[in-house]
Amino acid sequence: MKIVLVGHGMVGHKFLEALRQLQFPAADVTVLGEEPRTAYDRVHLSDFFAGKTAEDLSLVEPGFFADTGFDLRLNSRAAAIDRRAKTVTTQDGVTLSYDKLVLATGSYPFVPPVKGSDRGQCFVYRTIEDLEAMKEASAISRKGVVVGGGLLGLECAKALRDLGLETHVVEFAPRLMAVQVDDDGGRILRSKIEALGVQVHTERNTLEITDGRQARHRMVFADGSHLETDMIVFSAGIRPRDELARQNALAVGARGGIAIDDQCRTSDPDIYAIGECAAWRDQTFGLVAPGYEMARIAARQLAGEAGAVFAGADMSTKLKLMGVDVASIGDAHGRTPGCRSFRYTDECKQIYKKIVVSADGKHLLGAVLVGNADEYGTLLQMALNGIALPEAPEFLILPAGDGKARPGLGAHELPDSAQICSCNNVSKEQICTAVAEGATSIGEIKACTQAGATCGGCVPLVTQIMKAEMAKLGMAVTDHLCEHFPHSRQELYHLVRVGGIRSFDELLARHGRGLGCDICKPTAASIFASCWNDFVLKGELASLQDSNDYFLGNIQKDGSYSVVPRMPGGEVTPDGLIAVAQVAKKYGLYTKITGGQRVDLFGARVEQLPLIWEELIAAGFESGHAYGKSLRTVKSCVGSTWCRYGVQDSVGLAVELENRYKGLRAPHKIKFGVSGCTRECAEAQGKDVGIIATERGWNLYVCGNGGMKPRHAELIASDLDKTALVRLIDRFLMFYIRTADRLQRTSTWRDNLEGGLDYLKAVLIDDSLGIGDELERQMQHVVDTYQCEWKTAVTDPGVRRRFRSFVNDPQPDARIVFVEERGQIRPARADERVPALAATAELST
Amino acid sequence: MSTKKPRWTAVCKIGDILPGTGVCALVEDHHVAVFRLGEDGFYAIDNIDPRSGASVLSRGLIGNLGEHLVVASPLYKNHFDLRTGACLEAPEHSVRAHRVQVRGEAVFVSLSTLS
Ligand SMILES: Cc1cc2nc3c(=O)[nH]c(=O)nc-3n(C[C@H](O)[C@H](O)[C@H](O)COP(=O)(O)OP(=O)(O)OC[C@H]3O[C@@H](n4cnc5c(N)ncnc54)[C@H](O)[C@@H]3O)c2cc1C
Ligand code: SF4
Ligand code: SF4
């Protein structure tokens, strides 16, 4: 069967995935995509401004087309269809024949017919190219206007604000988000958005755009007023791309869109339409979930499953616009005959909540939540599954003033078939199955079921179901550190901090059992260090340290250690380099430059370590903490001091930051990067903390990673001055130390953080938990009590004595054997060691 | 080399081993890891980690896993029973356990019969 798919957007690609999953061998598939790239995640398009690249947003897993054999043609717009000959012709004249044709052409942004809307610096918000053009224009603009105060318009306004523009929203209707929220909700939303520095102009009908006096454009409104701006983005709704249908006399919906039946077939049974371009019962769907459902239905129909039908879709939405929660469920406007509503308004906290219930008061029909949408998951499930309402439904939205728990919805009340993730159609049952098969973190659930992987709105509910299921299966113990402590690392941290606990014996006596092990001892040691910052080898603390921390070096495969002196920011003087080289030469060490811009010296035996360090300290070096779960390096580029593009002194900042946070113990190692301009030569976005200079200060990115699972860091604040930057980093690091699991890098921590980036920003920037000062104080304590561990170690005879190969013999460990390679030493392989070891081998026979 | 009567070698003073840690001693040219669990629990096993061939087990963290008193190899984190030398994860990588005695302040080790 020859299938031609027109449009490789979100829904088109879902269709291809569905075909693959159905293992439909007879399919010979050709894909025509108009855009220059393969399908990407349009829902998260705005993340492009937060540093995500086109590759990050791609929906196509590597090798997809090679594996499936589907023939993909990009930059190929389908220009004509010949229904009788059953062919499609592209704009460059290539003609393809089909047995079945699938249209997934999406929508185009509607630009109102305003005179002057074709002037330069006027944009729409739909594709990566649109955003690239906006970004470029923003660099030469001061002011930006978004025309349209709907969901997309507000998202676009946020993008403009984040690009540093003075931002205005111009809306034709009397309120924002007219489709999703009612008047009262719209009012609260407006004041919240204005509080964030975006100016809102409602009931403004743009008549004309002309030359401005102070800015590039002047928008003239019907009421005679005007507004000047440098750039304009139109976000006044979308229109289905049904032009191919119209040209070929296929039926279209009353309000546009290619008309389809329950099988997703158009009026020509060999042509299907799916996604935003399709109109089902005269209704088009501007959300991705219904489109995904159509994609699955169409694929199953083509594979011969006559029973697969599209049955409409839920249009409930929840989103966060500039940190403001907005949600709308079902019949939000109360249009069902006889329905009644309950409302709650808090003008101080700017919260508005409304529920719409059926005439008999038994079922939830709809809801609007503005300012706080914590109840979204519960209410949505109640509405979708027809769950009986509690006696006094108003308590569903009233704050729990009396301290009593809300009549929430336990995960156990949901039927197994309940659809939890509507974007990817994941049921409760699928999540439970994934748990039973071993997925025990939200990241793993995402990876194997896709739940929460698209819009993320269902993540709290998915987490709740996951935890309930784990408890049911007796797996809830998994967040316990080990058999000795029935607590997670986060709980232990809290117990240590609040209880003022400073020794492992006390911790064990008060909160644990048994003798401890190689899991809980280093964890406790790390927590003690983060909280109290005593010398890590002091007294009993020494016995808790991993071998690396115990010998203040990195153990290598042969039992020798590596030595890494700190070189803050990667800066080192010629004399420093000479001193390092002399030490390396004297002790015969292998030297290598690390990825963190310093020098690593390998092949030191334990008894050599204090001698080597004595010499390094004398030359002015300090411990580099390469052995610890702690701050490693702050990588930097030369910045404005030397580089002709640099806009700030990146090395200076890197040195300062490295000196501030050196020695800080954390759940895992921490790396920083500082780049002197957006060219990003220090690769800061691959680091736990990345800083990129701007004309006006510093942009802060967090939770990036290189290594095994690369992840781009995300922008959390722009154009900070140094004081604000340091404050935010203090908070970030301490919050990570306080809440992460053992050996969890910031990137995995972030992926598992309920509430995601918005939550993190709320805690760090808006201080939503009220712990900002405390975190800063705790960090300051660590900074003030810093010591070079090696300096303390070499000057303490008790500690120094422990650095020897044998307790009863001064000789070195003869099993450490080196051979030469490329002019330096390397550990001998087993076959090369034979002569040296023969002696020992003999003795043991 | 096999002996009937245990031959004891004094390896160090009690105070040479920090409670909760181990040291490596040379006993008749063998590398032996001697551990001190708490104040007065002493154990000895081979110091060489069979998986890597490196002489490092004395540098591992000690504690218990269920019934077993164990040390975790600092290289690959596999656990060895301090009383028997058995490797809990991979029995083929087990080592030998040796006898330890404390007389007064001194710690003595006697190598177990060599196989
Ligand atoms: C900024 C933004 C934020 C959004 N946020 C959300 C959200 O939070 N939640 C949500 O549910 N939805 C959201 N959406 C909507 C969601 O992205 C769309 O519902 C979804 O992309 C629709 O998928 P589609 O495949 O039908 O259309 P598209 O993804 O637009 O794909 C259609 C593709 O077909 C191509 N095409 C068109 N005509 C032709 C032709 N003749 N020949 C070849 N190719 C052609 C187009 O170039 C395009 O690549 C958002 C959209 C935007 C722009
Ligand atoms: S990031 Fe910018 S300042 Fe730094 S080296 Fe590269 S181009 Fe120069
Ligand atoms: S990448 Fe692998 S081999 Fe290289 S240093 Fe890291 S752990 Fe060792």
Side-chain angles (χ1 to χ4, degrees):
Chain A
M1 184 192 285
K2 268 194 217 145
I3 299 176
V4 174
L5 169 68
V6 178
H8 192 232
M10 296 189 77
V11 172
H13 190 64
K14 182 60 80 179
F15 170 77
L16 297 177
E17 286 182 347
L19 279 186
R20 177 176 67 168
Q21 211 181 4
L22 290 166
Q23 298 182 325
F24 187 23
D28 163 8
V29 183
T30 308
V31 186
L32 297 179
E34 173 196 56
E35 292 191 60
R37 62 185 93 244
T38 56
Y40 51 89
D41 187 353
R42 218 178 288 288
V43 168
H44 289 109
L45 191 62
S46 302
D47 291 357
F48 182 78
F49 288 128
K52 288 258 166 94
T53 61
E55 293 86 78
D56 294 334
L57 291 174
S58 172
L59 293 174
V60 183
E61 55 184 86
F64 180 86
F65 287 96
D67 294 350
T68 55
F70 297 161
D71 178 9
L72 171 72
R73 307 188 184 182
L74 296 174
N75 290 311
S76 296
R77 187 169 60 82
I81 303 174
D82 182 336
R83 283 169 56 194
R84 256 187 312 158
K86 294 182 89 178
T87 58
V88 187
T89 304
T90 66
Q91 93 272 19
D92 18 59
V94 179
T95 300
L96 299 160
S97 63
Y98 66 82
D99 296 313
K100 300 282 176 191
L101 177 66
V102 180
L103 302 175
T105 49
S107 306
Y108 65 91
F110 170 67
V111 177
V114 171
K115 214 171 117 203
S117 61
D118 52 353
R119 292 161 56 93
Q121 313 300 348
C122 291
F123 304 90
V124 293
Y125 202 60
R126 179 83 193 176
T127 64
I128 289 186
E129 285 69 30
D130 292 336
L131 269 66
E132 281 170 345
M134 279 171 63
K135 197 170 191 170
E136 210 165 286
S138 72
I140 48 165
S141 300
R142 201 182 56 79
K143 239 169 121 174
V145 167
V146 178
V147 177
L151 196 152
L152 272 185
L154 294 182
E155 193 169 315
C156 179
K158 172 183 176 347
L160 289 188
R161 196 198 55 166
D162 290 349
L163 286 170
L165 301 190
E166 177 189 320
T167 307
H168 297 256
V169 172
V170 171
E171 167 62 48
F172 179 71
R175 62 168 185 268
L176 295 173
M177 286 185 70
V179 181
Q180 290 87 359
V181 308
D182 56 9
D183 276 338
D184 291 333
R187 215 173 4 257
I188 297 268
L189 180 61
R190 178 181 183 144
S191 55
K192 286 219 138 189
I193 299 243
E194 287 183 331
L196 294 166
V198 172
Q199 298 176 45
V200 178
H201 314 264
T202 48
E203 296 182 88
R204 288 289 199 291
N205 181 8
T206 315
L207 287 185
E208 197 187 358
I209 304 166
T210 60
D211 283 337
R213 304 233 171 95
Q214 276 95 45
R216 198 168 298 123
H217 309 293
R218 165 178 288 209
M219 303 173 69
V220 182
F221 304 116
D223 63 1
S225 62
H226 64 80
L227 179 63
E228 297 218 336
T229 178
D230 299 309
M231 58 187 282
I232 301 176
V233 187
F234 287 99
S235 179
I238 52 172
R239 296 290 181 267
R241 292 190 64 172
D242 53 13
E243 61 266 18
L244 284 172
R246 291 180 190 270
Q247 284 160 19
N248 291 282
L250 290 173
V252 291
R255 275 164 291 158
I258 310 166
I260 56 165
D261 60 12
D262 293 355
Q263 281 89 43
C264 297
R265 272 182 323 207
T266 66
S267 54
D268 178 337
D270 291 324
I271 305 182
Y272 289 73
I274 54 179
E276 284 189 345
C277 65
W280 177 80
R281 301 190 184 169
D282 283 340
Q283 191 189 357
T284 51
F285 300 88
L287 292 176
V288 74
Y292 277 5
E293 182 63 13
M294 291 178 199
R296 284 184 286 259
I297 303 286
R300 286 166 60 196
Q301 282 287 342
L302 289 176
E305 264 187 63
V309 291
F310 181 72
D314 176 58
M315 295 291 280
S316 303
T317 25
K318 173 186 162 192
L319 63 163
K320 207 172 198 108
L321 289 165
M322 305 188 232
V324 182
D325 280 324
V326 184
S328 155
I329 295 173
D331 182 9
H333 295 278
R335 298 203 174 107
T336 312
C339 69
R340 286 178 288 183
S341 67
F342 296 82
R343 288 155 212 258
Y344 167 74
T345 313
D346 176 343
E347 292 197 337
C348 298
K349 292 204 188 111
Q350 307 211 308
I351 293 172
Y352 172 77
K353 295 181 180 179
K354 173 172 94 170
I355 49 175
V356 179
V357 307
S358 58
D360 60 6
K362 292 211 174 104
H363 298 287
L364 185 68
L365 299 176
V368 177
L369 306 167
V370 178
N372 172 320
D374 291 351
E375 299 86 356
Y376 177 76
T378 303
L379 295 177
L380 179 64
Q381 291 301 327
M382 285 187 153
L384 288 181
N385 297 297
I387 293 170
L389 282 173
E391 206 134 300
E394 62 270 30
F395 286 108
L396 288 170
I397 50 170
L398 287 179
D402 54 359
K404 269 191 234 146
R406 283 276 189 77
L409 185 64
H412 59 277
E413 288 176 60
L414 291 170
D416 276 348
S417 59
Q419 188 194 48
I420 307 302
C421 168
S422 49
C423 292
N424 297 303
N425 188 23
V426 184
S427 66
K428 174 179 167 191
E429 193 178 5
Q430 284 169 285
I431 295 169
C432 294
T433 309
V435 172
E437 284 166 3
T440 53
S441 72
I442 192 74
E444 286 165 357
I445 298 266
K446 263 189 205 167
C448 66
T449 67
Q450 295 283 96
T454 304
C455 81
C458 61
V459 170
L461 190 61
V462 174
T463 311
Q464 205 189 333
I465 291 172
M466 178 187 84
K467 287 196 175 145
E469 189 62 18
M470 283 166 63
K472 207 163 102 195
L473 299 177
M475 290 159 64
V477 284
T478 46
D479 73 340
H480 294 181
L481 195 58
C482 63
E483 63 177 80
H484 306 104
F485 291 95
H487 298 286
S488 63
R489 179 192 169 280
Q490 180 174 354
E491 288 161 354
L492 271 188
Y493 180 89
H494 179 78
L495 293 169
V496 166
R497 194 45 103 183
V498 172
I501 299 173
R502 283 168 174 267
S503 80
F504 188 72
D505 286 346
E506 188 186 347
L507 187 64
L508 207 52
R510 284 173 59 181
H511 304 289
R513 56 178 169 251
L515 302 169
C517 65
D518 56 312
I519 305 284
C520 56
K521 284 183 171 180
T523 304
S526 160
I527 293 175
F528 293 146
S530 299
C531 289
W532 320 123
N533 211 21
D534 287 328
F535 175 49
V536 293
L537 299 184
K538 179 175 145 189
E540 182 231 36
L541 290 179
S543 69
L544 309 177
Q545 309 293 351
D546 241 343
S547 177
N548 281 359
D549 276 306
Y550 188 86
F551 290 106
L552 307 174
N554 289 44
I555 193 165
Q556 301 300 329
K557 59 199 276 190
D558 59 349
S560 69
Y561 288 84
S562 73
V563 169
V564 186
R566 187 170 295 289
M567 294 177 181
E571 199 175 65
V572 60
T573 63
D575 284 337
L577 271 182
I578 290 169
V580 170
Q582 278 168 342
V583 167
K585 222 167 166 174
K586 175 162 167 192
Y587 293 92
L589 306 174
Y590 167 80
T591 58
K592 185 169 192 309
I593 307 293
T594 71
Q597 301 185 330
R598 47 193 191 176
V599 183
D600 206 339
L601 313 173
F602 290 79
R605 291 187 310 271
V606 277
E607 67 274 10
Q608 294 176 317
L609 288 171
L611 304 169
I612 290 172
W613 273 103
E614 240 164 10
E615 296 188 27
L616 289 172
I617 290 167
F621 287 101
E622 291 185 320
S623 166
H625 290 93
Y627 44 81
K629 304 295 178 220
S630 56
L631 176 81
R632 291 287 167 86
T633 59
V634 182
K635 185 174 175 179
S636 70
C637 71
V638 290
S640 59
T641 319
W642 291 92
C643 175
R644 66 206 149 114
Y645 299 114
V647 292
Q648 306 278 353
D649 175 14
S650 44
V651 184
L653 182 72
V655 171
E656 227 173 286
L657 291 177
E658 185 156 343
N659 281 324
R660 178 168 182 83
Y661 300 113
K662 64 190 175 189
L664 172 71
R665 290 299 206 280
H668 211 310
K669 60 186 170 191
I670 301 172
K671 298 178 179 177
F672 279 40
V674 184
S675 280
C677 82
T678 49
R679 286 173 182 76
E680 245 287 64
C681 298
E683 295 164 335
Q685 288 170 96
K687 304 283 188 269
D688 299 275
V689 174
I691 297 147
I692 301 178
T694 68
E695 301 278 350
R696 282 167 290 200
W698 306 97
N699 284 355
L700 176 59
Y701 295 76
V702 295
C703 303
N705 196 4
M708 215 156 26
K709 259 203 184 163
R711 180 184 195 282
H712 270 281
E714 293 158 307
L715 178 70
I716 62 165
S718 314
D719 298 329
L720 300 164
D721 62 31
K722 200 153 62 191
T723 320
L725 176 75
V726 167
R727 235 174 62 151
L728 214 47
I729 301 176
D730 278 3
R731 290 182 179 192
F732 169 73
L733 292 175
M734 266 298 160
F735 188 57
Y736 161 64
I737 289 170
R738 178 190 277 225
T739 58
D741 277 339
R742 176 183 92 88
L743 300 188
Q744 193 175 40
R745 290 291 296 267
T746 59
S747 60
T748 358
W749 171 70
R750 155 71 183 85
D751 282 339
N752 284 288
L753 206 59
E754 272 178 52
L757 187 66
D758 288 323
Y759 172 72
L760 187 61
K761 282 198 208 169
V763 172
L764 301 180
I765 300 168
D766 310 330
D767 197 10
S768 60
L769 300 179
I771 54 173
D773 289 346
E774 186 183 325
L775 296 176
E776 287 169 40
R777 248 195 344 269
Q778 290 168 352
M779 180 61 81
Q780 196 55 47
H781 171 75
V782 173
V783 173
D784 293 341
T785 50
Y786 166 81
Q787 55 183 303
C788 169
E789 283 157 2
W790 265 113
K791 200 174 220 166
T792 315
V794 294
T795 44
D796 180 334
V799 170
R800 204 172 160 146
R801 221 159 46 92
R802 298 185 208 140
F803 288 82
R804 56 195 164 176
S805 288
F806 303 103
V807 69
N808 56 347
D809 200 311
Q811 65 171 281
D813 175 4
R815 296 186 63 93
I816 298 182
V817 183
F818 300 112
V819 294
E820 208 183 284
E821 188 172 88
R822 296 188 295 276
Q824 298 203 66
I825 59 155
R826 70 159 167 79
R829 285 190 301 266
D831 54 321
E832 296 162 331
R833 278 201 305 187
V834 171
L837 293 184
T840 337
E842 225 164 72
L843 279 165
S844 54
T845 46
Chain B
M1 175 174 84
S2 78
T3 35
K4 305 245 159 47
K5 224 172 115 227
R7 210 161 54 214
W8 292 97
T9 309
V11 293
C12 64
K13 298 258 172 53
I14 291 179
D16 290 332
I17 316 180
L18 185 72
T21 69
V23 295
C24 176
L26 263 187
V27 180
E28 299 171 30
D29 279 334
H30 278 272
H31 294 201
V32 177
V34 185
F35 298 100
R36 181 176 181 191
L37 197 52
E39 284 298 317
D40 40 34
F42 289 86
Y43 302 88
I45 62 172
D46 287 337
N47 195 49
I48 291 164
D49 172 17
R51 188 157 159 206
S52 59
S55 184
V56 294
L57 293 186
S58 63
R59 304 180 204 161
L61 279 162
I62 55 180
N64 76 300
L65 283 188
E67 302 288 276
H68 301 274
L69 300 180
V70 293
V71 60
S73 159
L75 284 170
Y76 297 111
K77 314 294 173 192
N78 39 335
H79 297 89
F80 297 88
D81 189 310
L82 295 182
R83 288 181 284 223
T84 65
C87 174
L88 304 191
E89 288 85 1
E92 69 277 16
H93 284 157
S94 297
V95 298
R96 290 168 307 159
H98 306 285
R99 282 186 283 173
V100 192
Q101 251 184 25
V102 175
R103 296 181 211 149
E105 286 296 299
V107 181
F108 290 80
V109 169
S110 160
L111 294 182
S112 62
T113 315
L114 302 163
S115 51

